[in-house]
Amino acid sequence: MKIPWRSFFGFSDEGPGETFAHAMGRARHLLEIQNYEDACRILKYAEKNGDAEGIYLYGWCCWRGNGVVEDAAKAVYLWKKAASMGYEPAIERCKDINDFIETLH
């Protein structure tokens, strides 16, 4: 029997059958309305659920300090993780960071 994703932290608006993919839709909406704390409650489980978009979005929350403590190192780690999964926006973000670093040398 598969344990539902939300049982890890008890957060679901859609009841016991909600999938993580559905929760990601809610997380995107929560980000749009700037409810970062609730969005991050979902996004922080993206890595465990293999969701590259969620990992990338959680990276932005860490970068900006939206809903979580600002942590640039964690943001870069998350973007690299999402990039390694082939998520194009994360690949571009990592490229931009590398290009910036090269301008410093």
Side-chain angles (χ1 to χ4, degrees):
M1 183 172 126
K2 185 175 180 184
I3 298 173
W5 73 272
R6 81 212 162 289
S7 66
F8 292 111
F9 58 100
F11 183 71
S12 173
D13 286 346
E14 301 300 321
E18 182 180 41
T19 65
F20 187 76
H22 188 250
M24 275 299 301
R26 283 192 305 108
R28 285 187 293 275
H29 173 72
L30 291 165
L31 290 172
E32 287 175 13
I33 63 171
Q34 299 180 354
N35 183 344
Y36 301 114
E37 290 81 13
D38 286 342
C40 286
R41 290 174 67 189
I42 297 168
L43 294 174
K44 71 180 182 177
Y45 289 94
E47 190 170 5
K48 177 175 272 191
N49 285 276
D51 189 286
E53 178 190 15
I55 294 168
Y56 173 77
L57 293 173
Y58 191 51
W60 275 111
C61 291
C62 292
W63 182 260
R64 295 178 178 139
N66 291 338
V68 293
V69 175
E70 187 177 314
D71 187 340
K74 184 173 184 176
V76 172
Y77 165 80
L78 291 167
W79 290 330
K80 286 181 178 181
K81 177 78 171 180
S84 75
M85 298 170 79
Y87 190 65
E88 191 61 38
I91 293 168
E92 287 299 314
R93 182 68 181 154
C94 290
K95 182 183 177 305
D96 291 344
I97 291 169
N98 288 334
D99 290 347
F100 174 74
I101 290 170
E102 287 188 21
T103 64
L104 299 176
H105 295 284

